[in-house]
Amino acid sequence: MTRDGTLSPGRVLEGGILAGLVFAIFEVVAAIVLTGPAHAFVPLRMIAAMALGPHAMDPGYSLAAAASVGLLLHLILSMAFAAIFAALIPGTFATRSEIELGMFYGFMLWLANFYLIGPALGWVWFAQQTTPLVQLTAHTIAYGAVLGWFQHHAWVVDDARVDDDLREFHALN
């Protein structure tokens, strides 16, 4: 935590990376379960297509290139969205409230990115080629809830480092 009571940029980025990885793993597992192992990397190809163009989704396109670009872009966006979340929720709440706020944030990200921003930028494949229930779950739970939980946890840990009473209360020493 910084002196002004906000989370440090490093902690915010850690939260974005953690939530982004949980989200990516969820997406890959969902693709395997719903469409088979051959489609495991379709989510990363879709993300890569934002930077490389729609041809990155073609099975003939280099999987290594598409997966690498897709994962890198996904983590960058996850960190950027975590920074926005941290700016919107500057104070600490109870764990449940922070998780619920994270879930709402994830839900709003899904709606905005899939149905407003994506189509406006020509990335129609997200809304057209994904299952809404899977995306709702991925965005609200795998990303939003994890982000909310991490942010709350980061506040508790950082507070305990600077306050002896809190350290004892949370038994973090």
Side-chain angles (χ1 to χ4, degrees):
M1 188 165 44
T2 61
R3 299 189 84 197
D4 65 357
T6 60
L7 285 176
S8 69
R11 296 297 259 164
V12 171
L13 298 180
E14 286 174 16
I17 290 170
L18 174 67
L21 288 174
V22 171
F23 180 96
I25 291 166
F26 178 87
E27 288 280 351
V28 168
V29 170
I32 291 169
V33 169
L34 295 175
T35 57
H39 296 96
F41 292 99
V42 168
L44 291 177
R45 284 183 177 278
M46 288 179 146
I47 296 165
M50 294 167 57
L52 301 173
H55 58 278
M57 292 185 295
D58 186 313
Y61 192 88
S62 167
L63 176 59
S68 299
V69 169
L71 184 60
L72 180 64
L73 181 55
H74 174 69
L75 292 177
I76 289 168
L77 290 171
S78 295
M79 290 185 287
F81 290 136
I84 294 167
F85 181 71
L88 292 172
I89 311 296
T92 184
F93 294 91
T95 304
R96 180 178 173 177
S97 297
E98 198 114 18
I99 290 171
E100 290 170 346
L101 288 167
M103 291 173 72
F104 179 73
Y105 181 70
F107 174 73
M108 296 307 292
L109 281 177
W110 170 53
L111 291 179
N113 288 337
F114 273 51
Y115 301 106
L116 295 175
I117 298 168
L121 296 174
W123 305 327
V124 295
W125 52 87
F126 289 110
Q128 293 175 351
Q129 297 178 20
T130 60
T131 306
L133 184 57
V134 170
Q135 296 309 314
L136 172 67
T137 305
H139 285 79
T140 59
I141 296 173
Y143 184 78
V146 172
L147 184 63
W149 173 84
F150 183 87
Q151 181 164 307
H152 176 77
H153 178 72
W155 277 101
V156 170
V157 170
D158 287 353
D159 281 349
R161 287 188 182 141
V162 297
D163 186 312
D164 290 333
D165 292 333
L166 280 173
R167 186 179 317 118
E168 287 180 30
F169 177 75
H170 291 292
L172 294 173
N173 54 347

